[in-house]
Amino acid sequence: AGFDWQACNLAGRPTFPTDNPAAPRAKLDWFFTRGLAAREPAVVSGIGADGAVLSDHDGLAVTVRPQ
């Protein structure tokens, strides 16, 4: 359908935070774009500086502009 995912995601970077190091981590969240130029994708950790889980998903960020 013409959607791009590669320029706006960090492939292989999990987005499901956990404070249990033995737990599996998964890439659950994705951006898809069409008609936009995407760059600088990032995953914002859902684990605080003190190790506490702040959210059930890590945040996503990406810079986009019209093509």
Side-chain angles (χ1 to χ4, degrees):
F3 289 98
D4 174 48
W5 64 270
Q6 292 175 315
C8 50
N9 293 284
L10 295 176
R13 175 80 188 269
T15 59
F16 185 76
T18 178
D19 56 358
N20 178 355
R25 304 230 17 229
K27 174 97 175 135
L28 300 176
D29 305 290
W30 299 83
F31 275 124
F32 294 89
T33 60
R34 184 169 55 191
L36 298 170
R39 62 184 175 88
E40 301 175 7
V43 175
V44 181
S45 178
I47 299 179
D50 63 356
V53 177
L54 304 174
S55 175
D56 62 342
H57 291 255
D58 288 333
L60 298 180
V62 64
T63 301
V64 295
R65 64 174 173 78
Q67 283 186 320

